[in-house]
Amino acid sequence: MDFKHPFIKTPRLAISYIAFWLILAVVMVLVVVTVGESDFITAMTDRFAYVVLFGFLGVAIWYVIKFSTLEDNSVGRVILAHVIAATIIVLIWLYIGTVITKLINPGQLQEDNNYLFTGIYNGYLLYTFNVVFFYAVNYYLAFKEKTKNETKLKALVKEAELHALKSQINPHFLFNSLNSISSLTMTDPAKAQEMVINLSQLMRYSLKHDQREKVTVQQEINNNELYLKIEKVRFGKKLNPVFAIEENCSKAEIPNMILQPLYENAIKYGVYEATETIDVITHCRCDDNKLVVTISNSYDKDAVSKKGEGIGLRNIRDRLQVIYGNPHLLKIEDNQNEFTVTLTIPQN
């Protein structure tokens, strides 16, 4: 539990508290003088000696609230703690106030026959006011701390979810790439070596940006060109990547490694069974503070479909949900001979 006084942690609150008691004292002096209840000197001595003094002593009431909470004590113990604290503070307040009054205006006390009774009544009244004030402050600070902790917790959960999703993408891609390299090791070692180099650069990029959620479009395209070079070695003329990136989109932000599963999907269902060249066309445009990425490829609808678990597309939707709170930013269109995926990325 944090026992640091809120006035130390929040100087603005302390200034407001001091200002309140000073203004209250001034207002009371003006009212008393205006209605002719007492002269200015007497009113000043009385209000500033007692009202401002109680504001000063009342700062300690916060510790009574903090050490006697309802969560750790019964209602009776809390009330008893406040009664004892109120009695101590009121007695100290009356004693110091009396000393100050005697030093400044000795005759004032002699004129007030009900001084002690009125003082005790006003003291407990001011104590009650301070209790309400500090309970409100305590509730506000607790609510603020709870909100802050919830925000941190949500950020940690979000980071954990993203990490889990990315850890699903990378092994999936690595598994397929290593299979491709393995198939070329015996038949074409030079191409296998080229694939290993491209794969190492790609993995270095992935590790380098592992802690960042977003990169520029240009970085993401460059990264995926490495991936397509790997697959180009494997599929040769059957794979023809085409990029149409509008110039004003190059610095737009996009989640890291989010396009790679789309290219993997295009190759699996378009290029793998094809006998002719398949264009995998990437088009990026920026409209109204959003980046629209479209990846399309033709495919033979009569070819036997390769069965897959759809991990890549599910991961993209999950990442869009975590990052933007909207899994519907990914749209798929299949017209039986061309497959198109559209990804809409907000830029604000």
Side-chain angles (χ1 to χ4, degrees), residues 23 82 87 90-92 97 155 188 202 212 218 246 263 276-277 293 340:
I23 292 171
H82 279 295
T87 303
V90 168
L91 289 177
I92 295 174
D188 196 338
L202 180 59
R212 295 180 57 186
Q218 193 60 55
E246 294 184 2
Y263 292 118
E276 303 294 332
T277 299
V293 181
T340 302

Side-chain angles (χ1 to χ4, degrees), residues 109-117:
L109 294 176
Q110 297 173 2
E111 297 172 359
D112 190 354
N113 297 325
N114 297 320
Y115 159 72
L116 186 60
F117 175 78

